[in-house]
Each structure stands twice: as C-alpha cells, then as structure tokens.
Amino acid sequence: MPADPSSRVAGETSARRAGTPQRSTTSPPPSGAGASAVEVRRSARRRRTVSAYREGDRTVVLIPARMSEAEEQRWVNVMLDKLAAQESKRLLGDAELCERAERLSDQYFDGRATPASVRWVTNQNTRWGSCTPSEGSIRLSHRLQGMPEYVVDYVLVHELAHLLVPGHGPRFWRLLEAYPRTERARGYLEGVVAAGRLPHLPAAREE
C-alpha cells in the first residue's frame, strides 16, 4: 500500500508552481455555511504533496495525477478541513462567536434560540461546550479553536438547542437534525478524542 502523500495548505502563487494540471474537475460545494465550489487539479509532476487554496468563491485542491477517485475525495475533505481550521482560528473571537451563534439560530431555529452571551473558556477539558438556559449563556471550550468551521458550528447549534430544550431527549435530537453536518462533526470530534488517547500517531510507510 503506498504511503499517504504529505499535505500542505498553500497560497495561490506557491501552489501553481507545482506544474501544469493534467486534469481538472469541479465539484458542487459541500453543505454547510460558507461552502464553496471545489476544483480538483491533477498534475503529473506532483508526486506526493497535496495542497489547497481559496480562489474567489471556490477552493482549488492540487493532487498527484496517479491518485484514485477515492483518494481524491478523501484528500479533498482533509484539505477543506485544514483550510477551514486555519480560517476559524484566525477569525473567531468572542464577538465573532456571538454573531455566528445568532446567525445559526436564525438559520436553523428561526431565531428562537437567543443567547445572552457566547464566549470561549479555558476550563472545559472534558466537554466541548456548555449552556446555562436560565442565564442564556453559552461557553465553548478553547480546544475547539482551530478546528474546522462546521465543527465549531455544530457545537454552537448543539448549545443553542439547549436554550430551547434543556435535556437530551428525542425533541432535542430532532432539533439537531436541522443542521446538515451533525454526523460529520460528531465523527470529527470522536476522532479527536480517540487520537488523544493514543501514545503516538503511527507514521505512514510504504509497503
């Protein structure tokens, strides 16, 4: 089995130095806020590296020409997550977090969930977020900073739902069904937890 290619999130100029693409395909945008069309460019010169950058309202992902369709899809998802993580880490302070929560409430709950405060905290190491419905306050763990945008949005939507339904009964989970990337976000967070329990991540190797 060939080793996974190394990856990097590149700027437009450095990404284009990789060579003329052998084939280019454009995919519809993934679901979720801030989604954009994805253009995949295959290059015969590119052997192992995968890179990505934003170009207007689309994301360009550069991959080796030899990649299979399944590998292409996997690396597109990886690179979208990397870009989203960089942008989330760069942009989301407490004020932006509060504005984002208000937009998500409008989008998924018709504005019915109205938090009085939304902020990052550093004292939540066993959970990703918490909510005090009586105060209307939402707190997100600082460990989410730098994670993909859709993951932060999922935790926000989860806590916003608690402003409407305090417990985790069937009505609560029905509310979360409105957010289309719930399962993917939960899978990402479960992966983070699982990786944290490992003594080290195994290195890729060629066979």
Side-chain angles (χ1 to χ4, degrees):
M1 179 183 297
D4 283 348
S6 58
S7 64
R8 61 189 175 89
V9 178
E12 181 176 350
T13 302
S14 60
R16 285 183 172 172
R17 288 177 186 153
T20 303
Q22 183 185 70
R23 181 168 65 86
S24 177
T25 59
T26 301
S27 303
S31 59
S36 63
V38 177
E39 180 181 342
V40 177
R41 297 178 184 173
R42 290 174 173 261
S43 172
R45 293 186 184 182
R46 186 175 288 266
R47 299 300 181 185
R48 294 176 58 82
T49 60
V50 177
S51 60
Y53 59 92
R54 305 292 194 197
E55 187 178 76
D57 61 353
R58 62 180 173 174
T59 302
V60 177
V61 181
L62 305 168
I63 65 173
R66 63 176 177 80
M67 272 193 179
S68 68
E69 295 297 325
E71 288 175 319
E72 172 184 316
Q73 186 56 56
R74 181 168 71 88
W75 277 101
V76 165
N77 288 335
V78 167
M79 300 312 288
L80 288 175
D81 282 351
K82 284 179 178 289
L83 282 171
Q86 285 187 354
E87 292 162 356
S88 176
K89 190 172 185 178
R90 186 167 60 244
L91 296 176
L92 287 183
D94 283 353
E96 291 84 4
L97 201 62
C98 188
E99 292 174 1
R100 191 165 201 86
E102 291 173 358
R103 290 198 301 270
L104 290 168
S105 176
D106 289 340
Q107 184 173 359
Y108 297 111
F109 303 132
D110 297 323
R112 292 181 294 123
T114 55
S117 66
V118 185
R119 60 191 175 92
W120 297 108
V121 294
T122 58
N123 61 351
Q124 290 190 161
N125 294 316
T126 59
R127 52 186 174 178
W128 299 112
S130 62
C131 171
T132 305
S134 61
E135 299 175 357
S137 61
I138 291 175
R139 298 164 296 280
L140 264 59
S141 171
H142 71 288
R143 294 178 301 149
L144 289 164
Q145 291 177 318
M147 290 190 187
E149 183 180 274
Y150 73 90
V151 176
V152 178
D153 283 356
Y154 163 72
V155 178
L156 280 172
V157 169
H158 185 109
E159 301 308 330
L160 285 167
H162 277 311
L163 292 178
L164 303 175
V165 180
H168 287 99
R171 184 170 167 236
F172 172 83
W173 293 111
R174 282 197 297 272
L175 283 175
L176 276 195
E177 289 175 359
Y179 184 63
R181 307 186 82 176
T182 290
E183 291 306 314
R184 186 178 178 193
R186 286 172 62 86
Y188 183 99
L189 292 172
E190 288 168 1
V192 170
V193 171
R197 292 172 180 160
L198 296 174
H200 66 277
L201 293 176
R205 61 187 180 90
E206 292 191 10
E207 295 181 353

